[in-house]
Amino acid sequence: MALEGRAQDAAQTKEVLPPPKTGLVTLHWPDLMKLEAEVREQLMSLQAGLTATVKDPKATTATLSEAYGTMGEIYQAYSLNSPARECYFNAGFLTPQDFRWVYLLGTLDQQEDLADDAIRRYRIAGTLRPEYVAVPVNLGNIYLQLNRLEDAKENFKAALAIDEGSAAALYGLGQVALSQRSYAEAVNYFDQALAVIPGANRIHYSLALAYRGLGDAEKATAHLAQQGTVGVRVNDPLVDGLQELIKGERIHLIRGKLALESRRYAEAAVEFRKAIAANRDSLPAHVNLGAVLIQTGDSKGAAEQFEAALRLDSQNTNAHYNLAFLLANENEHGLAILHLQSVLSVDPNDLSARTFLAQELLKSKRLEEALAEFSRVVKADPDNEDALLEQVKLLEQKRQYKQALDSVEKGHAQYPQKGRTAATLAYLLAASPQYDLRAGARALELAQLIYKATGSLEHGAIVTMALAELGRCTEAAEWQRRLIATAERERKTDLVTKLNTDLKRYERGKPCRPAGDPGAQANAN
Amino acid sequence: MRTWFIILTVFFIVAQPGAPFRAAAQQPAIPPAPGGRSSASIFKEVAEQVGLKFQHYNGMTGKFYLPEITGSGAALFDFDNDGDLDVFVVQGNVLEPNTQASSTLFPWRGSESPRGRLFRNDLVIAKDGSRTLHFTDVTEKSGIAASAYGMGVAVGDINNDGWPDLYLTNLGHNQMYLNKGDGTFVDVTQKTGTDDPRWSTSASFIDYDRDGWLDLMVLNYADFSVTNSPTCYAATTAKDYCTPRVFKAPGNRLFHNKGDGTFEDVTVSAGVDKDFGHGLGVVTADFDGDGWPDMYIANDGDPNQLWINQKNGTFKNEALLAGAAVNRDGQAEAGMGVDAGDFDGNGTEDIFVTHLMDQTNTLYTNLGKGLFEDRTREAGLGMPGTRFTGFGTLFFDYDNDGWLDLLVANGAVQLLPGLVRKGDPYPLAQPNQIFHNDGQSKFVEVSDQAGAAFQLLEISRGAACGDIDNDGDTDVLITNNNGPVRLFLNQVGNRNHWLGLRLIGKDRGRDMLGAQVEIVIAKNKTLWRRARTDGSYLSANDPRVLVGLGSATHVEAVLVHWPDGAVDEWQDLRIDQYSTLKEGTGSRRK
């Protein structure tokens, strides 16, 4: 029996509460030392209360049962399942007609995959409270897991007899039908479940599978596009009520994080606020609540949370980074820069922050600093193509053409498959403002490869530049005319204007090479 | 394109090993398998007894760093081509800078720093068939300097010289070791361009463009560093290991073998950068039956990817519509290990993925043409999988009855309350599991028949299978985090008949990974298997194909579908022994 196994496990612990009566089991106190202080205090206080009740010779059976049961609920709320099990066992032994204890024991069995024990206990619970819909739904789910489909169906139908709108029961029946490859029946049940809880977007996946089984690929694809992470659960006030017993910030942080990861932002916000209520100095709660509020569009609320976090820890990099994000969105680039610099003073290796900083410096027209930051990013992460191209652009602006070409050459050598890097290299080889850096033949070869792969008009224009650089002006003009015709068809008017300007030069004949920077030639000479 | 063919007489290499016998070591002989059935356990654990002494070190310091519970794997491969499987075991190291291995929570006791180790198999088979198995640690001589924080290992012959090479994945820079064929290896990571400095896990060699050169897929797990690792808590509010979701997924990498000793990173151009998660397990096979190898990637907490080969150097992730991205409830699970095999005998590759406890290990059955259905519950794998956290996993036929069974190596990733209460300083240990395939698309757990050592509570991670003693049944090597490596010798498989095949290329004898074998036992009984080293978790398997024949005493034909699409047929192959089938030497069919 499960309890015996668990009690044996627990027998290693030293702290125990001996049973006051025959038939009850010894309660093994869990080790509370590693728990959050507030939780530890809560549990110790309740344990002291239970001890007093157990030792009270005047305590009635009902009082004793309630004391054990309540302690069990608290343990279960914190996932301390082993002592919870002992408590429920004693409570149920003392008051076997009390639905709660046998039902909660069943939930622990189910959680720990002790199917036979769970079934036995749920059946007892069902006789004590036949109207409690979670009992047949849970039984149905266990049978489903055991692939006892007829038993599962019977229990889900029993649940519908109690609550005809039970989405969990309808979903379960859909799953039974799916297992039996009765796809039309599955669609029917899943549709009903979805109608009850439209937000349960995970049902769309089951619907997609059912439609796939029916050979309706179109509907299957449509449902896949709507599928999400929100599932269906049964209405279970007893288990849901356990959550209200929880104190401390950590458990709310965990739940908030889980909700945040699943993009259930409203739920995440509630949990993080509870964490702050438990500990107003909770740094992760403030930072995470801020992150959630960004997602819900409450920028002001988010900023308040990040500022609160920074009051607690002025070096918190996440708070600084997120504040920078909010400020940047409001075009407060100067302030955003200050926060990003704070991040980097704590963690100079934070490349996300450094890239962000470089972008903000660029927006603030602080070009020298932006170039320095982009260069640092490229050095640390050569895979960052955006940073590389910004660096090249800034070097070109500073007329450091050789450095720009060197940088893009290096990037292309490391990541030849990166298209924008390759295109930039082809462009510079064809049309660098510094003539002696150009290499027309190589530019043409590279540009043709890129154009062949992408078919982009902009890349076609690099081919014409390379032809022009090689003095093949007639061909360049011919190419350019074709590009213009296509650009006109696609109504790309800006591009048409640009291409026409270059076309005139190509049509004039040699020398038709792209214009350079006279200053650069002087410098190069 | 092939334009000519030659029909040769059936090509046999009779009974391994080809190499001369070595002097018997001071080890007990393993008696030949008895003819009749007895109540013997499936496995006998012999690692230490046969010289396979290895203790994994994870460098943990009590700060709950995710990598310390993640590794490591092992490889079974015949590095010296003497006909028996040698062993490489991956090792961890310290995680934090300025930390001494001897001063961590579980201090390193070795005389030299922790590093991956190579063990040579000195198997001796006497004339009466009895076997003496012994391993010799040849790490020093091999030139393999695997002293990074190791995770996994993949095996493939990257230069088609007939000598299997090693790719080691690490938390940090990976290493490619070229087998020189003289018992030594040389680090060619830089030369080949196959490094990945991120946290890599499983890797797989796959000739995805069918050009005759093995390409390489490398999975990456999480953007972890000791400086970016937050404090995480269990539901009890006590500190615990973080899930990988607190770290960004870095993306995987596909390297194309150019055939000149170098590889090219084709991640972007092949399209495999488009979808990725926290990658842990990879297996390659022709999932849609079009003759081109595909890839299936198990992600921890994210939808899995099924990369279908587009036959033009690119892949398309079709997992979601195929029904293999998430479980039947539409939930992405914590994918750890993965294997593929035709468990139901319908000629298609099914997929099995191991997960966290409270989730099932999930069986995706292949309905044909690359469509899958989660039939975990129907196969009897629902409840048994939810009790433990699975990592390494193998489809293999332990009893040679012709049906692929399943093994799952377990070990938790979050502290187990029962063990915490007992005062266990590293409370993650769980027993391993083995399931027997009943031939009716159902599995029955037979862990209690697998031998005492199989039920030890350990934190198992990698699992690799192969016929280590060349006796015609499949043995298993299991690695344990912060524990010893275990070698489980199969005690029962060769009571049934079997067919052992090594599939090699036409030129210099490379193992032809990805080749599919169609074994026609009788008119209405055909088995499909494939040559592979990948699958499982962080580990590499025997590339040979060992086919259980049950009571069948004859195989009508064996057709090998080579990776390039050509097919060779052999008839009347001798059973109960290994044969080497060389590409182009069967009776060519197409």
Side-chain angles (χ1 to χ4, degrees), chain A residues 455-471:
Chain A
S456 140
L457 293 175
E458 287 79 0
H459 293 155
I462 303 175
V463 175
T464 60
M465 286 179 207
L467 287 168
E469 173 61 19
L470 289 168

mmCIF file of all heavy atoms in Angstrom, chain A residues 455-471:
data_model
loop_
_atom_site.group_PDB
_atom_site.id
_atom_site.type_symbol
_atom_site.label_atom_id
_atom_site.label_comp_id
_atom_site.label_asym_id
_atom_site.label_seq_id
_atom_site.Cartn_x
_atom_site.Cartn_y
_atom_site.Cartn_z
ATOM 1 N N GLY A 455 16.826 37.003 -56.151
ATOM 2 C CA GLY A 455 15.998 37.660 -57.168
ATOM 3 C C GLY A 455 15.619 39.079 -56.790
ATOM 4 O O GLY A 455 14.756 39.704 -57.421
ATOM 5 N N SER A 456 16.268 39.624 -55.766
ATOM 6 C CA SER A 456 15.909 40.961 -55.285
ATOM 7 C C SER A 456 16.439 42.043 -56.242
ATOM 8 O O SER A 456 17.558 41.950 -56.758
ATOM 9 C CB SER A 456 16.485 41.139 -53.886
ATOM 10 O OG SER A 456 17.001 42.413 -53.709
ATOM 11 N N LEU A 457 15.629 43.063 -56.462
ATOM 12 C CA LEU A 457 16.035 44.145 -57.360
ATOM 13 C C LEU A 457 17.274 44.873 -56.836
ATOM 14 O O LEU A 457 18.153 45.266 -57.599
ATOM 15 C CB LEU A 457 14.882 45.143 -57.520
ATOM 16 C CG LEU A 457 13.647 44.612 -58.263
ATOM 17 C CD1 LEU A 457 12.536 45.645 -58.243
ATOM 18 C CD2 LEU A 457 14.012 44.262 -59.699
ATOM 19 N N GLU A 458 17.309 45.057 -55.519
ATOM 20 C CA GLU A 458 18.471 45.733 -54.920
ATOM 21 C C GLU A 458 19.752 44.940 -55.197
ATOM 22 O O GLU A 458 20.803 45.523 -55.478
ATOM 23 C CB GLU A 458 18.270 45.885 -53.407
ATOM 24 C CG GLU A 458 17.238 46.942 -53.002
ATOM 25 C CD GLU A 458 15.797 46.476 -53.123
ATOM 26 O OE1 GLU A 458 15.560 45.317 -53.530
ATOM 27 O OE2 GLU A 458 14.893 47.274 -52.831
ATOM 28 N N HIS A 459 19.634 43.632 -55.141
ATOM 29 C CA HIS A 459 20.819 42.814 -55.424
ATOM 30 C C HIS A 459 21.136 42.836 -56.915
ATOM 31 O O HIS A 459 22.304 42.781 -57.315
ATOM 32 C CB HIS A 459 20.599 41.375 -54.923
ATOM 33 C CG HIS A 459 20.507 41.299 -53.433
ATOM 34 N ND1 HIS A 459 19.852 40.292 -52.773
ATOM 35 C CD2 HIS A 459 20.960 42.134 -52.468
ATOM 36 C CE1 HIS A 459 19.916 40.497 -51.464
ATOM 37 N NE2 HIS A 459 20.585 41.626 -51.263
ATOM 38 N N GLY A 460 20.094 42.952 -57.736
ATOM 39 C CA GLY A 460 20.326 43.098 -59.178
ATOM 40 C C GLY A 460 21.099 44.376 -59.470
ATOM 41 O O GLY A 460 21.972 44.426 -60.356
ATOM 42 N N ALA A 461 20.784 45.418 -58.697
ATOM 43 C CA ALA A 461 21.479 46.693 -58.894
ATOM 44 C C ALA A 461 22.967 46.567 -58.574
ATOM 45 O O ALA A 461 23.803 47.277 -59.178
ATOM 46 C CB ALA A 461 20.835 47.770 -58.027
ATOM 47 N N ILE A 462 23.318 45.682 -57.654
ATOM 48 C CA ILE A 462 24.753 45.490 -57.360
ATOM 49 C C ILE A 462 25.435 44.824 -58.562
ATOM 50 O O ILE A 462 26.591 45.129 -58.887
ATOM 51 C CB ILE A 462 24.947 44.651 -56.070
ATOM 52 C CG1 ILE A 462 24.237 45.311 -54.893
ATOM 53 C CG2 ILE A 462 26.430 44.498 -55.752
ATOM 54 C CD1 ILE A 462 24.263 44.488 -53.592
ATOM 55 N N VAL A 463 24.704 43.947 -59.234
ATOM 56 C CA VAL A 463 25.273 43.324 -60.443
ATOM 57 C C VAL A 463 25.603 44.413 -61.471
ATOM 58 O O VAL A 463 26.694 44.431 -62.069
ATOM 59 C CB VAL A 463 24.285 42.294 -61.051
ATOM 60 C CG1 VAL A 463 24.822 41.746 -62.373
ATOM 61 C CG2 VAL A 463 24.035 41.152 -60.080
ATOM 62 N N THR A 464 24.673 45.353 -61.652
ATOM 63 C CA THR A 464 24.936 46.412 -62.658
ATOM 64 C C THR A 464 26.108 47.279 -62.228
ATOM 65 O O THR A 464 26.927 47.692 -63.056
ATOM 66 C CB THR A 464 23.697 47.301 -62.874
ATOM 67 O OG1 THR A 464 23.360 47.922 -61.650
ATOM 68 C CG2 THR A 464 22.526 46.500 -63.393
ATOM 69 N N MET A 465 26.203 47.534 -60.930
ATOM 70 C CA MET A 465 27.340 48.344 -60.454
ATOM 71 C C MET A 465 28.651 47.630 -60.751
ATOM 72 O O MET A 465 29.635 48.245 -61.163
ATOM 73 C CB MET A 465 27.219 48.575 -58.943
ATOM 74 C CG MET A 465 26.151 49.566 -58.556
ATOM 75 S SD MET A 465 26.108 49.708 -56.760
ATOM 76 C CE MET A 465 24.414 50.190 -56.520
ATOM 77 N N ALA A 466 28.656 46.315 -60.530
ATOM 78 C CA ALA A 466 29.882 45.545 -60.780
ATOM 79 C C ALA A 466 30.219 45.559 -62.267
ATOM 80 O O ALA A 466 31.390 45.704 -62.657
ATOM 81 C CB ALA A 466 29.700 44.117 -60.287
ATOM 82 N N LEU A 467 29.200 45.425 -63.118
ATOM 83 C CA LEU A 467 29.437 45.485 -64.570
ATOM 84 C C LEU A 467 30.016 46.844 -64.939
ATOM 85 O O LEU A 467 30.969 46.948 -65.728
ATOM 86 C CB LEU A 467 28.114 45.247 -65.324
ATOM 87 C CG LEU A 467 27.585 43.805 -65.317
ATOM 88 C CD1 LEU A 467 26.150 43.761 -65.841
ATOM 89 C CD2 LEU A 467 28.478 42.903 -66.170
ATOM 90 N N ALA A 468 29.433 47.882 -64.353
ATOM 91 C CA ALA A 468 29.915 49.235 -64.647
ATOM 92 C C ALA A 468 31.355 49.408 -64.180
ATOM 93 O O ALA A 468 32.188 50.007 -64.882
ATOM 94 C CB ALA A 468 29.003 50.254 -63.975
ATOM 95 N N GLU A 469 31.654 48.878 -63.027
ATOM 96 C CA GLU A 469 33.021 48.991 -62.501
ATOM 97 C C GLU A 469 34.014 48.302 -63.443
ATOM 98 O O GLU A 469 35.141 48.739 -63.614
ATOM 99 C CB GLU A 469 33.083 48.371 -61.095
ATOM 100 C CG GLU A 469 34.477 48.255 -60.485
ATOM 101 C CD GLU A 469 35.167 49.605 -60.303
ATOM 102 O OE1 GLU A 469 34.475 50.641 -60.294
ATOM 103 O OE2 GLU A 469 36.420 49.610 -60.211
ATOM 104 N N LEU A 470 33.558 47.235 -64.100
ATOM 105 C CA LEU A 470 34.418 46.516 -65.040
ATOM 106 C C LEU A 470 34.436 47.190 -66.411
ATOM 107 O O LEU A 470 35.071 46.687 -67.348
ATOM 108 C CB LEU A 470 33.917 45.068 -65.191
ATOM 109 C CG LEU A 470 34.146 44.164 -63.979
ATOM 110 C CD1 LEU A 470 33.353 42.867 -64.127
ATOM 111 C CD2 LEU A 470 35.632 43.854 -63.813
ATOM 112 N N GLY A 471 33.701 48.271 -66.540
ATOM 113 C CA GLY A 471 33.670 48.988 -67.815
ATOM 114 C C GLY A 471 32.708 48.378 -68.813
ATOM 115 O O GLY A 471 32.689 48.771 -69.991
#
